[in-house]
Amino acid sequence: MSQRTYLGMDFSVFSLGATWKAFGISVLMFLAIAYAGLSIFGLTSTMLSTGGETTPAPDFEIETINRTDVEAPLVNETGWFKLSEHRGKVVVLDFMAHDCSGCHIVQERIEENMGDWESRDGEYDIVIIAIGVWYDESIEYLNTSDSNYHVPYYLTGFGSTTAVISNETTGERGDIKNSYNAYAIPTAYVIDHEGYIVGTLPDGVTGWGQFNEAVEAAIDGDAQDLRVGLRQISANFSGIFFLGMMLSILVYFSPCAFPVLPGFISYYLSLGMREKELIDAGKLKGKMPKPVVIGLLSGMGMLTFFLFIGILAAAMGEAFARSGLIHYIALAIAVLLLVLGFFMLTGGTAHLMGWVDRLVQKWSTTEEDDVFTPKRNMYLYGFGYAAASIDCTAAAVIPFVIYLSTLGGDAVLAGLGSLMLGLLILMMVVTIMVSIGSQVMVNFLKQATGMIKMVGSWMMMFAGIGLIIFLTKPEYFV
């Protein structure tokens, strides 16, 4: 065993020029992807929350916990808060829940800043209200502090499916969570003295600086240019669909799987020249599939795998969110990314989904077998390809699906649908490109496999480091 090899990892890789060339490429790619990712997330957040016609925020009334020194001066005699009764003030809405760990970050920041906001020498007073929107909790539970949560120091109430006053005359009511697009929490809004939304905090971590500026501008009476409207629910899923399509590109070009794809497809296409031989030998029933069919079958295999993963993640997503463990799960994933990236760079292979590979090998056939099943093989290959890509992309795919599960079944359908549609399109396009002459591309990818793997390894480590910093020092991103 070499002195520079340990536990199957070859540390001499760090003395190779190619390793540091890959490092340089990875730095540039990571910075570009990080910038694009933040831009996409910002765009998606906007699509999911604001951007519709600029109209006053929906009026609502909710029951509060009615503490004598906090809520009592701001509610009616029975402890109910009505938004329209505070027109002429700046109102901050904090959509939250007792067991929502991310909401505690927003609560902490509001509590750190509320003194400055309330004492600011501006044109308008400010009212801050926390609104519980996990309806299987209760107002009593919201008013109960424990080791992970304390009752907010500002006005606190509980939302409902009939909280929003859609029509005062007819008595029509609506769900406050739907009306304010608060499907995923934490979510917060700033409403100015005339009732218009002038600031949003869609995720509770990033964008706090702009949110704080919006509060201060509203207090000073200078927020008219910041006014936005709430999108209708029918438009909300455009953001989710867009994000899913972007994620499909990351998954498809995973360095754990993509380098071997063109060669495999090229091999299957070459079998078309042996079609008559295989039929005459009784091994092939019917003709070899055309390139479009090969791409379609492989894409369908990928769809099947991610549908399976999506069902599992969606089933667990809400439970994870309510457990308060999401932060720690994300941190564990970040550490895993860092470790696996280092492992791959030094010659190891993750094989997180090795059981899928064994399943594919068991049910696949070759031209040497008594019966050759190319269509089934390509479907299984797509399934296995998706599993191999998970080695590099699980940290992006699983949190994405868990996030979708907090938005409801329609969001899961839109997000997973766009992810799987993107994968299907990419698989068909690459298959057709290989079939029309692209041996040059196949040869290039074969030669570049080592570099692609090193770049992917560095990218995994960068992603792990970035996520660790993001989760432990969120203030750096504000």
Side-chain angles (χ1 to χ4, degrees):
M1 179 183 294
S2 168
Q3 290 182 349
R4 307 184 74 177
T5 302
Y6 183 69
L7 295 178
M9 295 181 288
D10 182 9
F11 293 97
S12 66
V13 70
F14 293 106
S15 64
L16 301 177
T19 301
W20 299 106
K21 180 180 179 181
F23 175 83
I25 294 172
S26 302
V27 169
L28 295 177
M29 289 182 62
F30 183 76
L31 292 175
I33 292 172
Y35 177 79
L38 289 173
S39 300
I40 290 170
F41 182 78
L43 174 61
T44 303
S45 297
T46 300
M47 288 177 172
L48 289 173
S49 56
T50 59
E53 181 183 355
T54 304
T55 57
D59 193 17
F60 64 84
E61 56 183 355
I62 61 172
E63 184 180 6
T64 72
I65 59 179
N66 203 17
R67 291 167 289 185
T68 303
D69 55 341
V70 179
E71 285 80 17
L74 301 168
V75 299
N76 65 18
E77 62 278 4
T78 59
W80 285 71
F81 174 92
K82 188 174 184 180
L83 178 63
S84 58
E85 292 177 352
H86 296 273
R87 185 67 57 86
K89 301 175 185 176
V90 175
V91 180
V92 172
L93 306 180
D94 171 22
F95 290 95
M96 47 77 77
H98 181 292
D99 291 337
C100 166
S101 57
C103 301
H104 304 161
I105 298 175
V106 175
Q107 178 182 329
E108 179 181 350
R109 288 184 170 175
I110 289 176
E111 290 172 346
E112 288 174 352
N113 286 269
M114 60 187 293
D116 294 335
W117 294 341
E118 291 170 347
S119 62
R120 188 177 181 84
D121 186 18
E123 294 291 324
Y124 303 100
D125 293 332
I126 185 170
V127 174
I128 308 168
I129 178 167
I131 305 173
V133 289
W134 278 0
Y135 298 153
D136 60 347
E137 293 185 349
S138 66
I139 194 166
E140 291 78 18
Y141 189 52
L142 210 59
N143 195 25
T144 303
S145 298
D146 56 37
S147 59
N148 297 315
Y149 162 86
H150 70 261
V151 181
Y153 299 147
Y154 42 94
L155 192 150
T156 302
F158 198 69
S160 72
T161 57
T162 58
V164 168
I165 304 170
S166 303
N167 189 311
E168 186 85 59
T169 303
T170 63
E172 182 181 350
R173 295 285 182 140
D175 189 336
I176 193 169
K177 184 163 57 176
N178 292 341
S179 296
Y180 280 89
N181 295 336
Y183 308 104
I185 55 175
T187 294
Y189 295 100
V190 186
I191 299 176
D192 71 8
H193 63 286
E194 293 184 345
Y196 290 90
I197 293 173
V198 296
T200 64
L201 191 68
D203 68 346
V205 179
T206 56
W208 178 260
Q210 289 183 322
F211 186 81
N212 183 57
E213 290 172 2
V215 174
E216 294 177 346
I219 293 172
D220 295 341
D222 298 327
Q224 288 84 348
D225 293 340
L226 301 177
R227 290 176 176 175
V228 293
L230 286 165
R231 287 187 180 272
Q232 297 297 314
I233 187 165
S234 60
N236 284 336
F237 297 121
S238 59
I240 294 174
F241 189 88
F242 180 67
L243 191 59
M245 291 293 285
M246 294 301 100
L247 187 60
S248 72
I249 297 174
L250 170 66
V251 170
Y252 189 79
F253 292 103
S254 162
C256 296
F258 183 71
V260 302
L261 175 65
F264 187 83
I265 293 176
S266 180
Y267 160 71
Y268 256 82
L269 293 174
S270 70
L271 287 177
M273 294 183 293
R274 298 180 56 197
E275 179 180 273
K276 186 176 185 303
E277 173 191 340
L278 293 171
I279 292 176
D280 291 343
K283 295 184 177 183
L284 180 64
K285 307 297 183 182
K287 295 184 177 181
M288 285 290 295
K290 301 297 182 182
V292 172
V293 176
I294 288 177
L296 180 62
L297 290 169
S298 301
M300 292 301 294
M302 296 181 73
L303 262 62
T304 303
F305 177 82
F306 281 106
L307 181 62
F308 173 71
I309 292 295
I311 291 172
L312 289 179
M316 295 185 296
E318 188 172 352
F320 279 146
R322 295 183 186 284
S323 70
L325 297 176
I326 283 288
H327 177 83
Y328 302 103
I329 293 170
L331 190 58
I333 290 174
V335 173
L336 184 63
L337 269 178
L338 179 59
V339 172
L340 290 181
F342 185 83
F343 188 54
M344 284 179 57
L345 183 65
T346 54
T349 306
H351 292 312
L352 295 180
M353 292 289 173
W355 64 272
V356 176
D357 182 61
R358 291 190 293 273
L359 180 67
V360 170
Q361 294 298 326
K362 178 179 179 180
W363 292 101
S364 295
T365 60
T366 72
E367 69 273 24
E368 303 301 324
D369 293 324
D370 293 337
V371 178
F372 182 47
T373 55
K375 292 181 180 180
R376 185 175 73 189
N377 289 359
M378 292 312 299
Y379 173 81
L380 290 171
Y381 177 77
F383 193 88
Y385 182 91
S389 73
I390 281 288
D391 276 8
C392 295
T393 59
V397 174
I398 301 303
F400 173 67
V401 179
I402 291 175
Y403 164 73
L404 293 178
S405 72
T406 66
L407 306 183
D410 291 340
V412 173
L413 182 62
L416 277 180
S418 61
L419 170 62
M420 293 188 291
L421 177 63
L423 291 172
L424 178 61
I425 293 172
L426 286 168
M427 182 64 85
M428 294 186 66
V429 168
V430 169
T431 303
I432 293 171
M433 286 180 63
V434 171
S435 72
I436 61 176
S438 40
Q439 190 58 42
V440 173
M441 183 180 76
V442 173
N443 292 338
F444 171 77
L445 286 169
K446 286 180 179 178
Q447 294 170 3
T449 296
M451 179 61 67
I452 292 173
K453 182 176 179 180
M454 284 193 286
V455 170
S457 301
W458 282 116
M459 292 282 285
M460 286 178 70
M461 288 191 283
F462 292 158
I465 293 170
L467 188 56
I468 289 170
I469 296 173
F470 180 80
L471 292 168
T472 58
K473 297 291 182 181
E475 61 271 16
Y476 292 169
F477 295 83
V478 177

